[in-house]
Amino acid sequence: MVVWIARACHLRPVQDDTVTAVLGPTNTGKTHLAIERMVAHSSGAMGFPLRLLAREVYDRVRAIRGDKAVALITGEERIEPPDARYLCCTVEAMPRSANERAFVALDEAQLAADRERGHVFTDRLLNARGREETMLLGAATLEPLVKALIPRAEIVSRPRFSTLTHIGPRKLSRLPPRSAIVAFSAEQVYAVAEMLRRFRGGAAVVMGALSPETRNRQVALFQSGEVDYIVATDAIGMGLNLDVTHVAFAGLTKFDGVRQRRLLPAEMAQIAGRAGRHQRDGTFGTLAGAGKGRQEVPEFTDEEIYAIEEHRFAPLTHLFWREAEPRFDNLATLIADLEAPPLDPVLRLAPEAIDLATLKRLAEEPIARAIRTPGQVRRFWEVCSLPDFRQRGPDVHARFVARLWDDLQGGGYLGADYVAARIAELDNPGGDIDTLQGRIAAIRSWAYICQRPDWVLARDEMAGRARAVEARLSDALHARLTERFVNRRTALLMKSLGEDAALLPIAIGEDDVVRVEDEAIGRLEGFRFIVDHAANHADHKMLLAAAEKALPRLLGQRAEALAASGLDGVTLERGALRWSGRDLARLHFAEGSLKPQIEPARELAALPEAARGKMEEAIRQWMTEKMQPLAPLGALMEASRDPKAGSEARALLLSLIAGHGLATRDQAGIVHLPKEMRPFLRRIGVTFGALDIFAPALLKPAPRQLLSDLAIDRRPVEPAMLPVIAGTKRLPAGYRHAGDQAIRIDLAEKIFRAAHEERAAAQKADRRKKCTLDMALATSIGLTPDSIVRLMGQAGFRVQRARSLADGQFGPPRPDLWEWRPQRGKQPKPAPAQPREGNAFAALADLVR
């Protein structure tokens, strides 16, 4: 049967014997049914209201029929294998011809009543037909108009798989998990998402201004369970299949492009219907506290609640229509056809869309004077039909279209270099959310332009570049949204702490960062947990609670591993054992003993008992080995307790102990030491020098460094104990001043001893007080001539400089003469020992002074 549909300009026969209208609320399986029917035919095409829905179904059909059999066609993307038999398209890109394919389906057909895009849906509803089967998918409110326009169409009603129940207003803190919060402005979306990040760990964000790729990534964030909440505009109601159990409305009014109005019950149901999928029931309500100031909480009326729960809505009374095949004789005829009203009473002329507004504006500009032929008029209309992805108003969009027309008129095409330069200008993933949204909107315009083979040279290459830039910008936008509105750490802890924190998937990385499923909650310094500095006050308590419950087991393993390694990486600093920047234990020494008393750090007390015991034993063994270089000092301490030593020798030993192995002759009180006790002291390693008494074994680098690390000797330390160093006001232990230099006291003693031997030999030969001394040893270890004189002066040697040779005389210079004049008063001393306050060694030394 053929039915004639009246048009403004002409009549067209439409075949409706094969049309089936599958109508019903959300979650009725309409789209799934259409996919099953399409793949059962030899060919087919489906039109969708959104690019992301077309992509979703494309992936599903491709999995069934293979990559080569399925095409994806949208305004910005075309994937068309040569032998493709099934098309997944946006409605605007959908073929409007009849009988080309065996099956044709139109999804969300009730959008034919939409003010902006309704005329496109109406045209496909009236004209797109399959040879064998045509399906119209939509809301039940479309039924009377389908019967009026396509009388022979079969109407199939499908019930919802699950029920919807109103549960009233809920505060943000009381929203159940897997909730969607719907707002009707970007500002409100951001505000709600920010609050959810603060209190619930964050939310995914879905808005119409996002690119399809970004929307998909945000939806995947919610679907994967990484966050339990999604905040969206009413774009969520357009076919997005989400695992939502509750929908909360942050408002019940929206701006529809003309005025601010309350949502229609059918629009409310379209959004609320996202709750409950398949056999799971869903709930809906409003968000308490969403109003500003004293504004009342939005609430549904009883009539609206009944309509949504029972799926009973007022039927649509008209669809919007615009001539889809206008005449292109001239611009005036084209505009007249596009503004001509329909003759059918159920069709109404569509409000002026952005493409028609742009055409009318530019028709009054000078560029329109050169558009004369039908071919030019058709091409100009195609350029004006460029979608306004940037949403910056008719004036801005008209200027962009005018520039595009001028560029096309120059050579008939846009050059590849020119298009590549425009795309490269937008290839910048930096900036905030709004900046990235603007770039994505702009690159979508160029992606649309690059799909036209009659507009762009090297179309495939330029289209590929545009898609790649859009993908990069979408990734960056997704990252910014996630960074701003998702706190994965809080979300994970909110999920896990209520169940069993001991089972929290917590791990310690090689960098000592503590993570829960790759989200850092803090770091370990030794065995101390430090909460992440970026955590706010509320998160701080939660992170500490999680660490206190989940970390002891892991720290026990960490302690056992450290003990088994022999305390690898542990250092001794200022009387404490340190590891990873923190103290493991403090060391204390009893009077006259080198056996340390170990005080474990407070963090070790939180370890499991077995691990703590292993750790303490490992520390004791480590310290026993570490103390070996101080065995000579231990021998001095042991001798100081020997009754056979006598009081004079014990007093000298106590002075050496207080000086940590060295003392001047005056400090040691050697004048009181009987000569017969010297052999006893030499046997335990004591050397009697001209100026100093010392234990040479304690002048080596290891014992000196250890004394400093134990905080026993607080004087500066020379790590390598070099023979000669630069002189400083506060000398390292074991050194004596020598002018601008300092020399180790055992080497100074060698020089003094050699000088006395030479002096004795010279006096034995001729009994002269003055003699020459060989300073080769002093020079070889690095002392300068001036430093030698200063050093020898401390031992009582005075130098008499030799006269220089007279002019005209040749030969070796005369040697300097030295004379020993022993001092009877107080001798120069090195920097005094500065024992630790309260140290037993210092107290004992004071007793003998």
Side-chain angles (χ1 to χ4, degrees):
M1 176 179 179
V2 176
V3 176
W4 294 84
I5 302 296
R7 301 298 178 91
C9 302
H10 53 276
L11 298 177
R12 178 185 295 274
V14 175
Q15 182 76 27
D16 66 0
D17 291 340
T18 63
V19 177
T20 301
V22 182
L23 308 177
T26 57
N27 193 28
T28 56
K30 299 185 294 291
T31 304
H32 181 72
L33 173 65
I35 293 172
E36 288 185 334
R37 295 300 305 147
M38 182 171 74
V39 297
H41 289 277
S42 60
S43 62
M46 290 184 68
F48 300 92
L50 297 175
R51 172 182 165 188
L52 62 87
L53 291 179
R55 182 74 195 217
E56 179 183 334
V57 174
Y58 165 75
D59 291 336
R60 292 174 61 182
V61 177
R62 193 160 53 106
I64 298 172
R65 288 299 187 185
D67 295 348
K68 295 182 180 180
V70 191
L72 173 67
I73 303 176
T74 69
E76 304 132 79
E77 186 176 13
R78 300 178 75 92
I79 302 175
E80 295 182 89
D83 300 325
R85 295 180 290 118
Y86 302 97
L87 306 183
C88 298
C89 322
T90 53
V91 172
E92 285 80 358
M94 181 183 180
R96 61 186 301 274
S97 56
N99 301 325
E100 284 189 9
R101 287 168 180 80
F103 175 88
V104 169
L106 176 65
D107 195 21
E108 304 289 356
Q110 77 277 0
L111 288 180
D114 181 71
R115 294 179 57 87
E116 296 182 5
R117 302 170 65 200
H119 62 279
V120 181
F121 282 81
T122 301
D123 178 69
R124 303 304 185 268
L125 183 149
L126 294 174
N127 294 287
R129 294 291 182 269
R131 291 191 308 270
E132 301 169 7
E133 185 177 6
T134 302
M135 292 186 72
L136 304 177
L137 315 175
T141 54
L142 187 62
E143 181 176 348
L145 296 180
V146 171
K147 290 180 176 179
L149 293 171
I150 314 173
R152 294 294 301 272
E154 179 185 359
I155 306 296
V156 177
S157 297
R158 292 177 67 91
R160 182 178 168 89
F161 292 150
S162 60
T163 61
L164 271 177
T165 305
H166 177 255
I167 62 172
R170 290 286 187 275
K171 290 184 178 180
L172 202 66
S173 59
R174 299 287 183 179
L175 285 179
R178 314 308 296 166
S179 290
I181 301 91
V182 181
F184 296 92
S185 69
E187 292 78 9
Q188 195 172 29
V189 167
Y190 292 158
V192 173
E194 192 68 52
M195 287 190 289
L196 283 171
R197 181 189 187 278
R198 200 175 307 159
F199 301 116
R200 290 301 185 92
V205 173
V206 172
M207 298 187 297
L210 302 182
S211 69
E213 287 79 5
T214 306
R215 269 183 282 182
N216 283 343
R217 297 280 297 278
Q218 289 289 304
V219 167
L221 196 68
F222 175 78
Q223 290 293 85
S224 67
E226 191 167 337
V227 293
D228 270 336
Y229 302 91
I230 185 168
V231 186
T233 59
D234 53 346
I236 195 176
M238 196 57 61
L240 285 177
N241 296 316
L242 301 173
D243 184 20
V244 171
T245 59
H246 178 74
V247 171
F249 287 76
L252 294 175
T253 61
K254 75 169 186 176
F255 183 74
D256 63 1
V258 178
R259 60 188 174 88
Q260 190 78 17
R261 62 171 177 83
R262 189 177 180 88
L263 297 175
L264 300 175
E267 294 172 325
M268 296 175 180
Q270 184 75 19
I271 297 169
R274 295 301 105 191
R277 303 305 298 168
H278 304 295
Q279 301 297 323
R280 292 196 309 274
D281 295 337
T283 59
F284 69 97
T286 54
L287 183 65
K292 296 181 179 179
R294 298 184 179 179
Q295 183 178 340
E296 294 184 1
V297 175
E299 190 48 83
F300 294 98
T301 64
D302 292 340
E303 292 79 8
E304 290 168 341
I305 295 172
Y306 173 80
I308 295 170
E309 291 182 339
E310 299 298 326
H311 315 299
R312 297 181 181 275
F313 309 104
L316 295 175
T317 58
H318 63 273
L319 302 180
F320 287 112
W321 176 90
R322 189 177 75 182
E323 178 58 60
E325 294 184 348
R327 293 168 294 169
F328 298 103
D329 298 344
N330 51 58
L331 291 179
T333 302
L334 172 61
I335 294 172
D337 283 359
L338 293 174
E339 292 184 329
L343 300 179
D344 194 295
V346 300
L347 301 178
R348 289 189 183 177
L349 179 65
E352 185 177 274
I354 187 68
D355 53 358
L356 179 56
T358 301
L359 173 65
K360 292 172 68 175
R361 286 172 184 266
L362 296 183
E364 299 175 356
E365 298 292 330
I367 61 173
R369 298 171 188 167
I371 304 173
R372 300 172 181 174
T373 66
Q376 290 178 320
V377 173
R378 180 186 295 273
R379 186 175 175 86
F380 187 63
W381 170 236
E382 290 172 349
V383 174
C384 291
S385 299
L386 173 70
D388 183 17
F389 294 106
R390 296 178 294 176
Q391 298 292 315
R392 295 174 65 181
D395 290 336
V396 175
H397 185 62
R399 288 198 295 271
F400 181 75
V401 170
R403 173 66 185 274
L404 175 62
W405 175 254
D406 285 341
D407 292 337
L408 286 171
Q409 290 302 102
Y413 293 91
L414 298 178
D417 291 343
Y418 174 80
V419 175
R422 303 289 79 74
I423 293 173
E425 290 172 356
L426 300 171
D427 191 6
N428 179 7
D432 57 16
I433 292 174
D434 292 336
T435 300
L436 288 171
Q437 284 181 341
R439 290 197 193 110
I440 289 175
I443 198 62
R444 290 182 70 188
S445 297
W446 284 102
Y448 182 95
I449 292 169
C450 291
Q451 294 299 328
R452 297 296 301 257
D454 56 336
W455 289 5
V456 178
L457 294 175
R459 184 197 77 169
D460 293 340
E461 180 185 352
M462 294 301 106
R465 289 192 184 189
R467 285 195 301 270
V469 171
E470 183 180 355
R472 282 192 290 273
L473 294 175
S474 297
D475 289 344
L477 179 57
H478 172 71
R480 298 293 189 284
L481 290 170
T482 303
E483 178 183 342
R484 178 172 174 183
F485 299 121
V486 177
N487 186 334
R488 285 192 71 237
R489 178 176 61 200
T490 303
L492 289 169
L493 294 178
M494 288 291 294
K495 292 178 186 177
S496 303
L497 284 180
E499 300 173 0
D500 186 356
L503 300 178
L504 203 63
I506 193 168
I508 304 172
E510 294 182 359
D511 53 358
D512 289 340
V513 175
V514 181
R515 292 181 171 86
V516 178
E517 291 188 3
D518 297 330
E519 285 298 315
I521 66 172
R523 70 183 190 281
L524 286 178
E525 292 183 358
F527 289 92
R528 184 178 181 183
F529 176 71
I530 308 295
V531 175
D532 185 6
H533 69 278
N536 57 36
H537 181 68
D539 284 352
H540 194 278
K541 293 182 178 180
M542 188 181 350
L543 297 179
L544 276 179
E548 288 175 358
K549 294 182 179 180
L551 274 178
R553 175 179 55 85
L554 292 176
L555 290 180
Q557 297 173 359
R558 185 183 179 95
E560 291 179 0
L562 181 60
S565 71
L567 301 191
D568 183 30
V570 174
T571 59
L572 190 59
E573 302 175 27
R574 298 184 179 181
L577 276 74
R578 294 179 63 81
W579 183 62
S580 295
R582 286 285 173 177
D583 288 357
L584 283 180
R586 301 290 304 180
L587 303 176
H588 305 282
F589 292 90
E591 293 183 3
S593 173
L594 284 178
K595 184 177 182 180
Q597 298 175 0
I598 300 171
E599 178 189 352
R602 183 176 59 182
E603 289 80 9
L604 297 187
L607 295 175
E609 185 175 352
R612 186 171 64 251
K614 292 180 181 179
M615 194 67 190
E616 291 175 354
E617 178 61 27
I619 291 175
R620 283 192 289 271
Q621 294 179 3
W622 190 84
M623 281 304 305
T624 299
E625 297 177 4
K626 196 73 174 176
M627 295 295 291
Q628 291 301 318
L630 294 186
L633 184 59
L636 298 181
M637 291 181 175
E638 186 67 26
S640 71
R641 294 189 289 268
D642 189 350
K644 298 179 182 179
S647 60
E648 296 86 353
R650 291 179 62 199
L652 186 143
L653 287 170
L654 290 174
S655 296
L656 281 176
I657 293 169
H660 314 118
L662 52 106
T664 66
R665 293 177 70 93
D666 286 349
Q667 290 172 337
I670 195 170
V671 295
H672 305 293
L673 181 70
K675 292 186 178 181
E676 58 270 17
M677 293 303 301
R678 294 194 180 192
F680 167 76
L681 294 174
R682 288 192 178 99
R683 284 197 299 272
I684 61 174
V686 177
T687 295
F688 295 89
L691 299 180
D692 301 291
I693 299 173
F694 54 91
L698 293 174
L699 293 176
K700 295 180 180 179
R704 298 273 31 120
Q705 185 65 55
L706 183 56
L707 286 167
S708 177
D709 293 340
L710 291 170
I712 292 175
D713 190 346
R714 293 182 177 273
R715 289 173 291 183
V717 63
E718 169 60 33
M721 291 302 288
L722 297 172
V724 175
I725 60 174
T728 59
K729 186 175 181 179
R730 191 161 181 251
L731 282 180
Y735 284 85
R736 174 173 287 279
H737 277 293
D740 292 336
Q741 295 176 294
I743 183 171
R744 206 170 66 210
I745 59 176
D746 58 335
L747 294 176
E749 178 56 32
K750 286 185 178 182
I751 295 173
F752 296 152
R753 184 169 297 175
H756 280 294
E757 289 175 354
E758 288 188 57
R759 180 182 65 82
Q763 287 184 347
K764 186 177 181 181
D766 56 13
R767 294 187 175 275
R768 289 184 301 174
K769 290 186 177 182
K770 296 181 180 181
C771 62
T772 61
L773 297 179
D774 185 2
M775 291 298 163
L777 175 60
T779 303
S780 66
I781 63 176
L783 287 177
T784 64
D786 182 64
S787 296
I788 294 173
V789 172
R790 296 293 186 91
L791 176 65
M792 298 301 290
Q794 297 178 37
F797 287 91
R798 299 292 182 266
V799 65
Q800 179 180 333
R801 296 296 186 184
R803 295 179 181 179
S804 301
L805 295 175
D807 292 341
Q809 291 184 338
F810 300 96
R814 298 187 183 94
D816 295 334
L817 296 178
W818 293 85
E819 181 182 359
W820 183 55
R821 298 175 185 174
Q823 295 183 355
R824 300 302 179 188
K826 189 176 181 180
Q827 298 183 16
K829 299 182 293 183
Q834 297 179 7
R836 185 170 54 188
E837 184 179 353
N839 192 294
F841 306 153
L844 291 171
D846 290 339
L847 291 176
V848 300
R849 289 177 183 165

